[in-house]
């Protein structure tokens, strides 16, 4: 039938029919490929964005779950208000009980999520290889639908313009018409295969063909800009969450004033030191330090001087530590030090060296200030098996040293 129809057409009509047919088929195939690729790309972009948000949020929120800090956890979830895709978020503890949540609570029912055609992304929370809970994000598919709707609108417009203009203009520019259309179809196929939306077709024709090429390039430009904008947004949010994670970590484990480890981190290091001591059959010395008459510094020179003194005390104590030792500020003018006692190490000599270091005045606000300390020592495993017992006995020894005249140390008896 087709052959009979072609026999009735003139050469010019055959060329027009051939050019129009080949051009339109090529464009339809290319656009079909782009449409499929756009749909998959939209799904991948959504999945990538939500996965990044979920992973980074899980890293940040784990500490809050472990420390039972519902306020920090809720603050992190509330930040999801800026993301239109997230309908509901929930954090559970290690027992599966709800810890905090955000959004429409009806989506806590998985059957509702399935009925709505939404996605539930579950990310387990781990700390030290121990499951601490789970982060659940329920996201909608609005972004994909909107992206496909806009894309299909552009596709329909491109198909319509291509059909009308190619037919009209091919009547008198038959041979000139074929080349740019074929180039356009080839580029579209390449983009469909590679997913590289930065490619462009060069406008070498005029009139409607040039318009078609411009529309095609504009579509590619918008698609490329959207991908770049999404990548930039994800990168920015990742940086913000990393900064927040670092800030939360510092607040959880370090003293804000001296930047030394706080009690929580110090206890963890003590546990590690005790484990190492048990393994190597060695001992650990815990030293509790209280500055003598520190209150007089605050009362006489002000809190700025007191804060500066605490910082310099921390720096001076830190210099007395080896890589395997540690110093921490646990509050006020109280410091603790941790020393691994290897063969030949003597806790008394270490304590005496620290006392002697404080015989050199500090330079506080351009004033020389002499600050002494009272120091108590408790030794693992001789005086206790855990932080609280060792601290209590080192504390008792420190107070005995203070009552005996200050500026000295005592080992718990």
């Amino acid at each position: 039938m087709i052959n009979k129809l072609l026999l009735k057409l003139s050469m010019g009509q055959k060329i027009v029919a051939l050019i129009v047919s080949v051009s339109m088929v090529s464009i339809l195939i290319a656009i079909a490929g782009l449409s499929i690729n756009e749909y998959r790309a939209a799904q991948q972009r959504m999945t990538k964005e939500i996965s990044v948000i979920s992973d980074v949020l899980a890293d940040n929120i784990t500490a809050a779950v472990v420390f039972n800090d519902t306020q920090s956890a809720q603050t992190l979830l509330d930040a999801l208000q800026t993301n239109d895709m997230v309908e509901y978020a929930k954090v559970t503890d290690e027992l599966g009980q709800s810890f905090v949540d955000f959004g429409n609570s009806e989506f806590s029912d998985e059957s509702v999520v399935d009925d709505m055609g939404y996605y539930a992304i579950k990310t387990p929370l781990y700390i030290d290889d121990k499951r601490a809970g789970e982060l659940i994000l329920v996201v909608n598919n609005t972004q994909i639908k909107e992206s496909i709707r806009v894309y299909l609108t552009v596709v329909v417009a491109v198909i319509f313009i291509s059909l009308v203009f190619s037919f009209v203009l091919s009547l008198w520019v038959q041979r000139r018409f074929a080349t740019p259309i074929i180039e356009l179809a080839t580029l579209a196929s390449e983009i469909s295969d590679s997913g590289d939306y930065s490619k462009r077709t060069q406008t070498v024709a005029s009139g409607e063909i040039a318009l078609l090429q411009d529309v095609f390039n504009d579509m590619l430009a918008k698609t490329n800009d959207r991908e770049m904008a999404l990548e930039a947004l994800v990168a920015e949010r990742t940086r913000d969450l990393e900064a927040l994670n670092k800030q939360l970590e510092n607040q959880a484990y370090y003293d804000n004033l001296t930047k030394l480890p706080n009690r929580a981190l110090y206890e963890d290091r003590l546990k590690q030191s005790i484990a190492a001591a048990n393994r190597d059959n060695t001992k650990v010395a815990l030293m509790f330090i209280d500055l003598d008459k520190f209150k007089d510094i605050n009362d006489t020179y002000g809190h700025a001087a007191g804060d500066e003194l605490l910082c310099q005390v921390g720096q001076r104590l830190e210099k007395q530590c080896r890589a395997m030792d540690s110093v921490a500020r646990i509050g006020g003018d109280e410091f603790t030090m941790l020393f691994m006692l290897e063969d030949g190490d003597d806790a008394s000599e270490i304590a005496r060296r620290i006392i002697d270091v404080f015989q050199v005045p500090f330079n506080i606000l351009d004033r020389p200030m002499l600050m002494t300390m009272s120091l108590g020592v408790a030794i693992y495993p001789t005086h206790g098996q855990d932080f609280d017992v060792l601290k209590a006995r080192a504390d008792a020894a420190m107070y005995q040293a203070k009552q005996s005249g200050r500026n000295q140390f005592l080992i718990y008896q």
Side-chain angles (χ1 to χ4, degrees):
M1 181 179 179
I2 297 178
N3 290 332
K4 292 181 179 180
L5 180 61
L6 290 175
L7 290 174
K8 295 179 180 180
L9 298 177
S10 65
M11 181 60 70
Q13 290 173 332
K14 289 179 181 178
I15 294 176
V16 170
L18 180 62
I19 293 176
V20 171
S21 300
V22 172
S23 299
M24 290 309 303
V25 169
S26 299
I27 291 176
L28 287 174
I29 292 175
I31 291 179
L34 284 173
S35 299
I36 295 173
N37 189 73
E38 174 64 14
Y39 179 77
R40 292 177 178 174
Q43 284 185 317
Q44 292 175 354
R45 289 194 298 271
M46 185 195 76
T47 302
K48 180 179 178 181
E49 178 180 358
I50 294 301
S51 296
V52 170
I53 292 174
S54 179
D55 292 342
V56 176
L57 185 58
D59 291 340
N60 285 285
I61 214 166
T62 299
V65 174
V66 172
F67 290 100
N68 198 27
D69 188 355
T70 56
Q71 182 178 358
S72 297
Q74 190 65 58
T75 300
L76 290 171
L77 287 189
D78 289 343
L80 294 173
Q81 293 178 1
T82 58
N83 195 310
D84 295 335
M85 288 187 297
V86 179
E87 297 286 346
Y88 178 70
K90 181 172 73 173
V91 177
T92 63
D93 57 21
E94 60 182 348
L95 300 178
Q97 301 296 321
S98 178
F99 187 67
V100 291
D101 64 358
F102 159 82
N104 191 347
S105 59
E106 71 176 9
F107 290 112
S108 60
D109 187 350
E110 293 186 1
S111 62
V112 175
V113 176
D114 295 336
D115 292 340
M116 295 289 291
Y118 289 176
Y119 304 93
I121 298 176
K122 300 180 180 180
T123 304
L125 307 179
Y126 287 96
I127 184 167
D128 295 335
D129 295 331
K130 180 180 179 183
R131 187 183 178 97
E134 188 175 82
L135 170 65
I136 302 173
L137 297 182
V138 176
V139 297
N140 58 48
N141 54 9
T142 303
Q143 180 173 324
I144 295 179
K145 290 181 178 179
E146 180 62 20
S147 177
I148 297 302
R149 186 190 67 80
V150 174
Y151 184 79
L152 290 178
T153 300
V154 175
V155 167
V156 171
V158 170
I159 292 176
F160 178 76
I161 294 172
S162 300
L163 179 61
V164 174
F165 286 172
S166 63
F167 178 75
V168 174
L169 295 179
S170 64
L171 295 176
W172 61 278
V173 287
Q174 300 161 2
R175 294 189 181 277
R176 188 178 179 185
F177 175 82
T179 301
I181 289 298
I182 292 175
E183 290 178 353
L184 183 62
T186 302
L187 178 62
S189 297
E190 292 176 357
I191 294 174
S192 177
D193 293 336
S194 65
D196 183 6
Y197 292 95
S198 63
K199 295 182 178 180
R200 297 292 183 271
T201 179
Q202 296 184 357
T203 303
V204 296
S206 59
E208 289 80 358
I209 300 303
L211 177 60
L212 177 60
Q213 292 174 321
D214 291 340
V215 170
F216 187 78
N217 282 337
D218 184 58
M219 180 180 65
L220 292 177
K222 289 180 178 179
T223 303
N224 189 54
D225 290 344
R226 186 165 60 248
E227 284 195 341
M228 293 180 63
L230 179 59
E231 292 177 358
L233 179 61
V234 171
E236 180 182 358
R237 290 183 178 177
T238 299
R239 289 192 297 270
D240 292 343
L241 289 174
E242 288 176 348
L244 179 60
N245 183 43
K246 185 175 181 180
Q247 180 181 356
L248 290 174
E249 181 181 354
N250 287 336
Q251 292 176 351
Y253 296 111
Y254 291 90
D255 176 57
N256 288 333
L257 177 62
T258 63
K259 309 307 178 186
L260 293 174
N262 61 13
R263 179 189 177 97
L265 182 56
Y266 191 78
E267 287 185 12
D268 182 69
R269 290 185 177 178
L270 177 61
K271 291 178 182 178
Q272 296 179 21
S273 299
I274 289 176
N278 289 333
R279 183 181 63 249
D280 301 333
N281 196 26
T282 56
K283 296 182 178 181
V284 180
L286 186 146
M287 300 186 181
F288 192 87
I289 298 170
D290 186 83
L291 303 182
D292 296 331
K293 297 182 180 181
F294 175 75
K295 184 175 181 299
D296 294 345
I297 300 296
N298 279 336
D299 293 342
T300 303
Y301 300 104
H303 289 283
D307 290 346
E308 176 63 23
L309 177 60
L310 290 174
C311 292
Q312 291 192 24
V313 167
Q315 294 169 2
R316 194 171 289 189
L317 292 176
E318 220 173 3
K319 291 180 180 179
Q320 302 305 310
C321 295
R322 299 163 297 183
M324 58 186 174
D325 305 324
S326 182
V327 59
R329 181 189 177 211
I330 60 174
D333 59 342
E334 296 177 342
F335 296 81
T336 58
M337 301 187 73
L338 185 66
F339 290 92
M340 299 294 296
L341 299 180
E342 299 180 333
D343 293 341
D345 289 339
D346 182 29
S348 297
E349 293 181 0
I350 296 174
R352 186 175 294 106
R353 184 178 72 240
I354 295 172
I355 293 291
D356 292 342
V357 165
F358 275 64
Q359 305 309 308
V360 178
F362 293 89
N363 184 14
I364 306 300
L365 302 181
D366 296 328
R367 296 188 184 93
M369 293 186 185
L370 183 64
M371 172 56 61
T372 61
M373 67 165 71
S374 298
L375 188 152
V377 183
I379 299 174
Y380 171 87
T382 306
H383 301 136
Q385 300 292 322
D386 57 46
F387 176 82
D388 290 329
V389 174
L390 290 170
K391 176 184 175 300
R393 292 181 174 175
D395 192 27
M398 181 274 296
Y399 275 107
Q400 187 176 355
K402 191 176 287 288
Q403 292 173 359
S404 300
R406 300 185 176 88
N407 194 24
Q408 58 183 306
F409 74 92
L410 285 177
I411 297 178
Y412 178 79
Q413 299 293 332

